[in-house]
PDB file of all heavy atoms in Angstrom:
ATOM      1  N   PHE A 632     -24.200  -2.388  13.613  1.00  0.00           N
ATOM      2  CA  PHE A 632     -23.196  -1.471  13.082  1.00  0.00           C
ATOM      3  C   PHE A 632     -23.793  -0.696  11.918  1.00  0.00           C
ATOM      4  O   PHE A 632     -24.894  -0.993  11.431  1.00  0.00           O
ATOM      5  CB  PHE A 632     -21.952  -2.240  12.628  1.00  0.00           C
ATOM      6  CG  PHE A 632     -22.233  -3.314  11.611  1.00  0.00           C
ATOM      7  CD1 PHE A 632     -22.224  -3.033  10.252  1.00  0.00           C
ATOM      8  CD2 PHE A 632     -22.531  -4.612  12.023  1.00  0.00           C
ATOM      9  CE1 PHE A 632     -22.496  -4.014   9.315  1.00  0.00           C
ATOM     10  CE2 PHE A 632     -22.800  -5.609  11.092  1.00  0.00           C
ATOM     11  CZ  PHE A 632     -22.783  -5.307   9.737  1.00  0.00           C
ATOM     12  N   VAL A 633     -23.035   0.286  11.443  1.00  0.00           N
ATOM     13  CA  VAL A 633     -23.447   1.117  10.306  1.00  0.00           C
ATOM     14  C   VAL A 633     -22.342   1.092   9.260  1.00  0.00           C
ATOM     15  O   VAL A 633     -21.155   1.246   9.591  1.00  0.00           O
ATOM     16  CB  VAL A 633     -23.718   2.572  10.740  1.00  0.00           C
ATOM     17  CG1 VAL A 633     -24.083   3.434   9.526  1.00  0.00           C
ATOM     18  CG2 VAL A 633     -24.830   2.631  11.780  1.00  0.00           C
ATOM     19  N   LEU A 634     -22.710   0.874   8.007  1.00  0.00           N
ATOM     20  CA  LEU A 634     -21.785   0.996   6.879  1.00  0.00           C
ATOM     21  C   LEU A 634     -21.961   2.379   6.258  1.00  0.00           C
ATOM     22  O   LEU A 634     -23.095   2.847   6.086  1.00  0.00           O
ATOM     23  CB  LEU A 634     -22.060  -0.074   5.828  1.00  0.00           C
ATOM     24  CG  LEU A 634     -21.849  -1.535   6.237  1.00  0.00           C
ATOM     25  CD1 LEU A 634     -22.300  -2.462   5.119  1.00  0.00           C
ATOM     26  CD2 LEU A 634     -20.386  -1.788   6.580  1.00  0.00           C
ATOM     27  N   LEU A 635     -20.850   3.014   5.915  1.00  0.00           N
ATOM     28  CA  LEU A 635     -20.888   4.356   5.339  1.00  0.00           C
ATOM     29  C   LEU A 635     -19.907   4.418   4.176  1.00  0.00           C
ATOM     30  O   LEU A 635     -18.744   4.021   4.320  1.00  0.00           O
ATOM     31  CB  LEU A 635     -20.518   5.391   6.402  1.00  0.00           C
ATOM     32  CG  LEU A 635     -20.639   6.869   6.031  1.00  0.00           C
ATOM     33  CD1 LEU A 635     -22.093   7.235   5.736  1.00  0.00           C
ATOM     34  CD2 LEU A 635     -20.100   7.741   7.164  1.00  0.00           C
ATOM     35  N   ALA A 636     -20.364   4.890   3.027  1.00  0.00           N
ATOM     36  CA  ALA A 636     -19.503   4.952   1.841  1.00  0.00           C
ATOM     37  C   ALA A 636     -19.803   6.218   1.052  1.00  0.00           C
ATOM     38  O   ALA A 636     -20.910   6.757   1.106  1.00  0.00           O
ATOM     39  CB  ALA A 636     -19.713   3.724   0.957  1.00  0.00           C
ATOM     40  N   ASP A 637     -18.796   6.682   0.319  1.00  0.00           N
ATOM     41  CA  ASP A 637     -19.009   7.817  -0.583  1.00  0.00           C
ATOM     42  C   ASP A 637     -17.988   7.769  -1.709  1.00  0.00           C
ATOM     43  O   ASP A 637     -16.909   7.181  -1.577  1.00  0.00           O
ATOM     44  CB  ASP A 637     -18.915   9.148   0.171  1.00  0.00           C
ATOM     45  CG  ASP A 637     -17.522   9.440   0.679  1.00  0.00           C
ATOM     46  OD1 ASP A 637     -16.730  10.019  -0.074  1.00  0.00           O
ATOM     47  OD2 ASP A 637     -17.229   9.083   1.842  1.00  0.00           O
ATOM     48  N   ALA A 638     -18.348   8.379  -2.827  1.00  0.00           N
ATOM     49  CA  ALA A 638     -17.462   8.516  -3.989  1.00  0.00           C
ATOM     50  C   ALA A 638     -17.586   9.943  -4.489  1.00  0.00           C
ATOM     51  O   ALA A 638     -18.689  10.390  -4.821  1.00  0.00           O
ATOM     52  CB  ALA A 638     -17.835   7.525  -5.082  1.00  0.00           C
ATOM     53  N   SER A 639     -16.455  10.664  -4.526  1.00  0.00           N
ATOM     54  CA  SER A 639     -16.482  12.089  -4.863  1.00  0.00           C
ATOM     55  C   SER A 639     -15.430  12.420  -5.908  1.00  0.00           C
ATOM     56  O   SER A 639     -14.366  11.793  -5.957  1.00  0.00           O
ATOM     57  CB  SER A 639     -16.226  12.940  -3.613  1.00  0.00           C
ATOM     58  OG  SER A 639     -17.181  12.684  -2.610  1.00  0.00           O
ATOM     59  N   LEU A 640     -15.722  13.419  -6.725  1.00  0.00           N
ATOM     60  CA  LEU A 640     -14.732  13.995  -7.627  1.00  0.00           C
ATOM     61  C   LEU A 640     -14.070  15.165  -6.909  1.00  0.00           C
ATOM     62  O   LEU A 640     -14.752  16.074  -6.432  1.00  0.00           O
ATOM     63  CB  LEU A 640     -15.386  14.466  -8.927  1.00  0.00           C
ATOM     64  CG  LEU A 640     -15.916  13.371  -9.851  1.00  0.00           C
ATOM     65  CD1 LEU A 640     -16.557  13.992 -11.089  1.00  0.00           C
ATOM     66  CD2 LEU A 640     -14.805  12.405 -10.259  1.00  0.00           C
ATOM     67  N   MET A 641     -12.733  15.121  -6.828  1.00  0.00           N
ATOM     68  CA  MET A 641     -11.969  16.124  -6.089  1.00  0.00           C
ATOM     69  C   MET A 641     -11.189  17.015  -7.047  1.00  0.00           C
ATOM     70  O   MET A 641     -10.576  16.520  -7.999  1.00  0.00           O
ATOM     71  CB  MET A 641     -10.990  15.442  -5.133  1.00  0.00           C
ATOM     72  CG  MET A 641     -11.649  14.535  -4.114  1.00  0.00           C
ATOM     73  SD  MET A 641     -12.594  15.463  -2.904  1.00  0.00           S
ATOM     74  CE  MET A 641     -12.803  14.223  -1.631  1.00  0.00           C
ATOM     75  N   MET A 642     -11.174  18.312  -6.768  1.00  0.00           N
ATOM     76  CA  MET A 642     -10.423  19.278  -7.571  1.00  0.00           C
ATOM     77  C   MET A 642      -9.601  20.175  -6.657  1.00  0.00           C
ATOM     78  O   MET A 642     -10.046  20.507  -5.555  1.00  0.00           O
ATOM     79  CB  MET A 642     -11.380  20.114  -8.423  1.00  0.00           C
ATOM     80  CG  MET A 642     -12.004  19.330  -9.562  1.00  0.00           C
ATOM     81  SD  MET A 642     -13.592  19.995 -10.114  1.00  0.00           S
ATOM     82  CE  MET A 642     -14.681  19.401  -8.822  1.00  0.00           C
TER      83      MET A 642
END
Side-chain angles (χ1 to χ4, degrees):
F632 56 89
V633 177
L634 296 174
L635 186 64
D637 67 87
S639 302
L640 291 179
M641 301 291 196
M642 289 155 283

